[in-house]
Amino acid sequence: EPDVTIVSGLKDMVVSEGDDVTFRCQVSHENARDIEWKLQDVALQNNEMNEISVEKGKIHTLTLRKVTEQDIGTVTFRVGLHTSTA
């Protein structure tokens, strides 16, 4: 299985409280496994507040819904041994 790398990393975002924010990270291969999203070192799951999806097979997205002050911090995307932060 080929080593999946990050082609386009996360970008820093500034949003207002109550808004939604979306982070995108593009990887080198479709159907990448061993993917993880974190906010402040806490692993995120797909739920009503965090929407985790894949577009076009290679673009992994995380949408944080109705952010609050508690959501301030570092977002991390990890695939295998590669990470990107914003």
Side-chain angles (χ1 to χ4, degrees):
E1 192 169 300
D3 186 31
V4 178
T5 60
I6 295 171
V7 176
S8 176
L10 300 176
K11 294 180 176 36
D12 291 342
M13 306 291 275
V14 177
V15 293
S16 299
E17 194 167 20
D19 287 349
D20 295 350
V21 60
T22 299
F23 295 91
R24 285 182 177 80
C25 201
Q26 184 176 347
V27 298
S28 59
H29 296 79
E30 291 187 11
N31 304 318
R33 294 192 197 112
D34 197 20
I35 302 278
E36 183 176 52
W37 285 98
K38 287 184 176 181
L39 175 60
Q40 304 165 11
D41 282 333
V42 176
L44 298 176
Q45 303 298 322
N46 200 17
N47 58 37
E48 67 278 353
M49 297 307 291
N50 313 313
E51 183 183 326
I52 297 170
S53 62
V54 181
E55 300 170 3
K56 300 178 186 161
K58 295 182 182 179
I59 301 170
H60 293 260
T61 64
L62 166 66
T63 301
L64 302 177
R65 304 257 180 237
K66 298 181 177 62
V67 295
T68 66
E69 222 174 86
Q70 287 77 36
D71 294 319
I72 292 172
T74 302
V75 171
T76 304
F77 173 84
R78 181 185 61 75
V79 56
L81 302 174
H82 306 279
T83 60
S84 179
T85 58

